[in-house]
């Protein structure tokens, strides 16, 4: 059997190392995972109760239209229900978009480095990927505009960006949106939007009425703490969503995901509490970096990308032996960096202690 040529040698997505595996491998009793930007405070109690209440219906297929959560999200965002498409995480919506729009005769424009799933899914569809380097960790929107040609079908703006945590402000995004050709889709991926406190962050949802070539992606995996249930969504022009929906598999979300997300979106007090705790702990991490002369990208997310002037894999290995799982920057386009999720106050104290040991260690620095 012969698979598509573009799949040969294509790397699989590498998630953060599982906690139980690290405990077993290194003989550790306690391991903190700060690698995958999960919410360290978990999920809303309302979401947990909704899951418990739904356990008796496990033998029944979920609602393929996601009617209940669709109604909740539409009301929350003040959009029409027909403007929404739900995926098994927003990753699956990215897959939908690539499958629907990209072919071997087309190209897509993205930043570099950014979220890996844009490039991966575009490659699977055989499309050309035109990567435009970040400037100081931020999307070069002018460079991305210049990269658009007659074969461009889609442009990706990860905002805030993963792995840098930086963001594109409202004025720049609006100018960009005005100049993108109307037949080119602009995807604003806002997985970390609940953590943003920048006053000039673009409010994209109202822009959907004016720009039918705009799609906004959101997820319940980060601030909502429902990563294991895999539910995210796209918001766009109603006609575009109708055209996109046939690529969505039937029953692509579980009933547990539907009820949990529906309850979670009603508990905005929990989301605001998590965001506030994240800001306080982020400030502590930034202060730690300043005290120790560590460079970092200013972040509007729940993670910080830090330059340790050492190989990212060495930082990963050192911290792993201290019982802390982080993400090496070597796989993210920043070889001397590590991307570290903002944990709880207790987790961060343990992290800072481990980092002090790292900085005093003989782990070789790089120029």
């Amino acid at each position: 059997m012969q698979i598509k040529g573009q799949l040969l040698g294509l790397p699989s997505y590498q998630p953060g190392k599982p906690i139980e595996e690290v405990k077993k491998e290194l003989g550790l009793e306690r391991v903190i995972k700060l690698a995958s930007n999960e919410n360290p405070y978990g999920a809303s109690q309302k979401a947990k109760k909704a899951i418990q209440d739904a356990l008796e219906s496990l033998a029944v297929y979920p609602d393929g239209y996601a009617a209940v959560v669709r109604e909740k999200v539409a009301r929350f965002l003040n959009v029409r229900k027909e403007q929404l498409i739900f995926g098994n995480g927003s990753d699956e919506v990215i897959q939908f978009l690539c499958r629907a729009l990209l072919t071997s005769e087309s190209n897509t424009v993205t930043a570099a480095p950014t979220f890996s799933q844009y490039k991966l899914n575009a490659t699977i569809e055989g499309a050309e990927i035109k990567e435009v380097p970040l400037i100081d960790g931020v999307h070069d929107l002018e460079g991305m505009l210049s990269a658009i040609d007659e074969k461009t079908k889609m442009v990706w703006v990860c905002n805030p960006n993963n792995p840098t945590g930086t963001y594109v402000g409202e004025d720049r995004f609006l100018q960009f949106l005005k100049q993108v050709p109307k037949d080119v889709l602009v995807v604003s991926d806002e997985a970390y939007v609940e953590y943003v406190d920048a006053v000039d962050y673009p409010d994209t949802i109202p822009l959907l009425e004016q720009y039918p070539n705009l799609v906004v992606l959101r997820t319940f995996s980060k601030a909502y703490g429902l990563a294991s249930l895999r539910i995210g969504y796209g918001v766009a022009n109603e006609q575009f969503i109708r055209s996109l929906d046939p690529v969505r598999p039937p029953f692509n979300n579980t009933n547990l995901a539907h009820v949990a997300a529906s309850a979670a979106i009603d508990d905005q007090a929990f989301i605001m509490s998590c965001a506030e705790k994240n800001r306080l702990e982020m400030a502590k991490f930034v202060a730690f970096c300043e005290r120790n002369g560590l460079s970092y990208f200013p972040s509007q997310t729940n993670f910080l990308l830090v330059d340790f002037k050492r190989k990212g894999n060495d930082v990963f290995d050192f911290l792993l032996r201290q019982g802390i799982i982080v993400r090496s920057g070597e796989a993210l386009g920043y070889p001397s960096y590590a991307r570290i999720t903002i944990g709880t106050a207790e987790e961060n104290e343990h992290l800072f202690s481990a980092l002090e040991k790292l900085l005093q260690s003989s782990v070789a620095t790089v120029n």
Side-chain angles (χ1 to χ4, degrees), residues 97-159:
L97 293 170
C98 290
R99 180 171 294 177
L101 273 72
L102 300 179
T103 69
S104 59
E105 303 300 318
S106 64
N107 70 58
T108 185
V109 177
T110 182
T114 192
F115 187 45
S116 62
Q117 296 303 290
Y118 313 143
K119 182 176 181 178
L120 175 70
N121 283 286
T123 300
I124 291 171
E125 299 304 326
E128 176 190 4
I129 296 93
K130 303 178 80 171
E131 296 181 282
V132 179
L134 301 173
I135 297 178
D136 296 327
V138 181
H139 283 58
D140 175 10
L141 295 186
E142 292 74 21
M144 294 174 76
L145 276 172
S146 298
I148 295 172
D149 61 26
E150 68 279 358
K151 293 185 177 181
T152 304
K153 298 296 183 183
M154 194 158 31
V155 182
W156 305 89
V157 181
C158 188
N159 200 25

Side-chain angles (χ1 to χ4, degrees), residues 157-360:
V157 181
C158 188
N159 200 25
N161 188 47
N162 180 8
T164 56
T166 56
Y167 77 103
V168 172
E170 183 174 41
D171 289 344
R172 290 188 64 229
F173 185 77
L174 284 174
Q175 286 302 312
F176 174 74
L177 201 54
K178 289 175 183 176
Q179 296 177 75
V180 173
K182 300 306 178 188
D183 61 343
V184 174
L185 190 71
V186 176
V187 185
S188 182
D189 188 347
E190 302 174 4
Y192 299 93
V193 66
E194 291 83 10
Y195 291 111
V196 173
D197 61 3
V199 295
D200 63 336
Y201 182 79
D203 184 8
T204 51
I205 298 298
L207 297 175
L208 294 170
E209 292 298 319
Q210 184 179 353
Y211 295 96
N213 63 326
L214 174 64
V215 173
V216 177
L217 302 185
R218 303 244 173 124
T219 184
F220 286 95
S221 294
K222 302 303 180 185
Y224 284 93
L226 299 177
S228 69
L229 294 180
R230 311 307 301 124
I231 179 167
Y233 59 92
V235 199
N237 172 272
E238 185 176 332
Q239 183 177 346
F240 177 74
I241 292 293
R242 192 181 307 117
S243 300
L244 182 65
D245 197 58
V247 305
R248 180 182 58 83
F251 313 121
N252 62 319
N253 292 126
T254 67
N255 184 51
L256 297 186
H258 287 166
V259 299
S262 299
I265 205 166
D266 282 340
D267 194 356
Q268 289 302 308
F270 174 77
I271 300 300
M272 288 187 286
S273 172
C274 291
E276 178 59 26
K277 291 174 184 175
N278 181 74
R279 280 190 285 272
L280 292 173
E281 295 305 315
M282 175 74 78
K284 293 179 186 178
F285 198 174
V286 166
F288 177 90
C289 291
E290 297 284 354
R291 286 196 306 273
N292 289 279
L294 298 173
S295 300
Y296 59 91
F297 287 102
S299 177
Q300 287 290 314
T301 65
N302 67 335
F303 62 82
L304 203 62
L305 186 64
V306 182
D307 188 0
F308 290 97
K309 303 297 182 185
R310 296 159 168 82
K311 291 180 180 179
N313 288 349
D314 288 345
V315 174
F316 170 85
D317 289 337
F318 184 94
L319 292 177
L320 194 66
R321 282 160 177 73
Q322 303 295 314
I324 302 172
I325 310 170
V326 300
R327 196 66 179 267
S328 167
E330 292 196 43
L332 302 174
Y334 290 92
S336 63
Y337 286 67
R339 192 192 68 190
I340 303 177
T341 305
I342 306 301
T344 64
E346 181 187 6
E347 289 171 339
N348 289 333
E349 285 304 313
H350 186 48
L351 169 68
F352 300 155
S353 176
L355 289 178
E356 286 174 352
K357 293 177 183 176
L358 170 71
L359 297 175
Q360 296 165 9

Side-chain angles (χ1 to χ4, degrees), residues 45-118:
Q45 291 299 322
K46 292 182 180 180
K48 294 177 184 178
K49 184 179 185 304
I51 291 171
Q52 291 173 337
D53 292 345
L55 290 179
E56 294 303 318
S57 63
L58 295 183
V60 180
Y61 280 110
D63 171 17
Y65 188 63
V68 175
V69 68
R70 182 181 295 272
E71 176 72 35
K72 289 289 183 70
V73 172
R75 189 182 307 126
F76 179 71
L77 296 179
N78 193 28
V79 299
R80 294 180 296 280
K81 293 180 290 185
E82 295 79 12
Q83 289 182 258
L84 297 167
I85 188 167
F86 289 85
N88 195 247
S90 56
D91 310 62
E92 191 181 33
V93 184
I94 292 168
Q95 185 184 70
F96 296 163
L97 293 170
C98 290
R99 180 171 294 177
L101 273 72
L102 300 179
T103 69
S104 59
E105 303 300 318
S106 64
N107 70 58
T108 185
V109 177
T110 182
T114 192
F115 187 45
S116 62
Q117 296 303 290
Y118 313 143

